[in-house]
Amino acid sequence: MVLEEKKISRIIMDSFYEKLRDSLSCEVAIVGGGPSGLICGYILAKRGIKVALFERKGSLGGGMWGGGMMFNSIVVEEDARRMLDEFSIRYKIKEKHYLVADAPEAVSAIAAAVCREGVRVFNFMSAEDVVVRSGRVSGLVVNWTAVEIAGFHVDPLTVEARYVVDATGHEHAVSRTLIEKLKGKLGGVEKYPLRERSLNADLGEKEVVQNSKEIFPGLYVAGMAVNAVFGGHRMGPIFGGMFLSGEKVANSIIKALGKRVLIESKKNGTLRN
């Protein structure tokens, strides 16, 4: 068999185009492929929900790869042990309540499971804005990260979604963009401080789960973006709160989607009393 370069290129182009075209309309669009975004996408996809995930870098996993100061081990608290078990990630128990796992193994296991469940992953893509219709976030404005970095004037494309999840970590890029644009125009967003407090692992882990929620109709925050939006504490290289935050947002969206389907079905007259 003779390998033909043109065929290889065509296969790649056709495959990617098909995936992107099919994802232009989805139920949930997640921005950020760190631990909270991955867990959120995994749980949603497992329930049969159509999910597209956009990651501005080349690799998934966010800060998990580096562990603490490039010591590539991660710590997870006892409350999130079930997440490690879900993905068959090996770990050791240290000092009762601390579980330690190999970062590359953890990231690889979670990322593989996310893809197998059917989440459409688009790396090297950034969300530069959201689509807002009738006072509700209804989609994403996306472009290549390389275009963003180079500062080229290249118009983006849009993705339609019932719900958008900001899982962009410390940058809280999606939430920050929306809130800065809406301040003084729509009530409620002024309450978000858009900054993190100094590191406090105990408080930070609790706050990130507590405040994982919908902050504007159609827009949820998960992971470190939560503490950036709500003024919570940093927590350093411990990742249980990230996992549980993604889980909480996914379950909230599952519930919300059920309600929206019911409302839309009633409007369309497809439900009988």
Side-chain angles (χ1 to χ4, degrees):
M1 181 181 69
V2 178
L3 298 177
E4 298 182 39
E5 294 82 1
K6 182 177 69 175
K7 288 185 178 179
I8 295 170
S9 297
R10 185 169 62 233
I11 289 169
I12 291 172
M13 292 170 68
D14 290 348
S15 174
F16 183 83
Y17 176 74
E18 180 182 348
K19 181 172 72 169
L20 180 59
R21 182 182 59 186
D22 185 58
S23 300
L24 290 180
S25 180
C26 57
E27 290 173 288
V28 182
I30 299 173
V31 187
S36 63
L38 290 174
I39 295 295
C40 183
Y42 171 80
I43 294 172
L44 290 169
K46 232 184 161 184
R47 292 290 295 268
I49 294 167
K50 187 176 180 181
V51 181
L53 187 151
F54 300 87
E55 167 55 49
R56 72 186 308 273
K57 297 182 180 179
S59 60
L60 301 174
M64 288 178 67
W65 285 109
M69 213 176 77
M70 295 192 289
F71 292 10
N72 64 351
S73 295
I74 62 167
V75 172
V76 174
E77 58 266 49
E78 177 66 35
D79 290 346
R81 183 201 287 246
R82 66 180 183 278
M83 291 296 177
L84 298 177
D85 292 335
E86 174 71 20
F87 300 101
S88 300
I89 298 167
R90 297 170 297 174
Y91 56 85
K92 294 180 180 179
I93 302 173
K94 300 287 185 179
E95 300 183 32
K96 285 190 177 180
H97 305 296
Y98 299 91
L99 314 177
V100 62
D102 180 71
E105 178 184 346
V107 176
S108 301
I110 296 171
V114 165
C115 294
R116 282 196 297 266
E117 287 299 334
V119 176
R120 299 295 182 90
V121 176
F122 298 93
N123 53 342
F124 298 110
M125 279 197 192
S126 298
E128 62 180 52
D129 205 348
V130 293
V131 179
V132 177
R133 289 185 176 274
S134 302
R136 177 183 180 83
V137 170
S138 59
L140 276 179
V141 181
V142 298
N143 213 330
W144 297 113
T145 304
V147 170
E148 174 191 72
I149 293 172
F152 292 145
H153 181 69
V154 177
D155 283 330
L157 294 174
T158 57
V159 174
E160 179 185 64
R162 290 188 175 192
Y163 292 96
V164 170
V165 178
D166 181 357
T168 58
H170 296 280
E171 295 180 356
H172 57 290
V174 181
S175 303
R176 185 182 68 246
T177 297
L178 178 68
I179 292 169
E180 287 176 349
K181 288 185 175 183
L182 293 182
K183 278 188 175 180
K185 296 179 181 179
L186 291 175
V189 297
E190 289 83 356
K191 64 186 177 183
Y192 300 120
L194 294 179
R195 64 180 182 274
E196 299 170 8
R197 297 186 186 182
S198 297
L199 196 148
N200 183 314
D202 185 57
L203 289 178
E205 285 291 270
K206 292 172 181 174
E207 290 163 345
V208 75
V209 179
Q210 176 185 338
N211 292 320
S212 294
K213 63 182 72 172
E214 189 176 33
I215 65 166
F216 186 82
L219 176 63
Y220 282 79
V221 285
M224 200 58 225
V226 172
N227 284 5
V229 169
F230 283 87
H233 293 78
R234 299 180 63 180
M235 67 285 291
I238 183 167
F239 291 90
M242 302 292 105
F243 296 157
L244 298 178
S245 170
E247 177 188 50
K248 181 181 178 182
V249 167
N251 289 332
S252 297
I253 290 175
I254 290 167
K255 186 176 181 180
L257 278 171
K259 290 180 179 178
R260 286 203 70 188
V261 169
L262 180 63
I263 293 170
E264 289 170 6
S265 298
K266 285 182 176 179
K267 285 182 178 178
N268 296 330
T270 56
L271 287 182
R272 295 181 181 178
N273 294 325

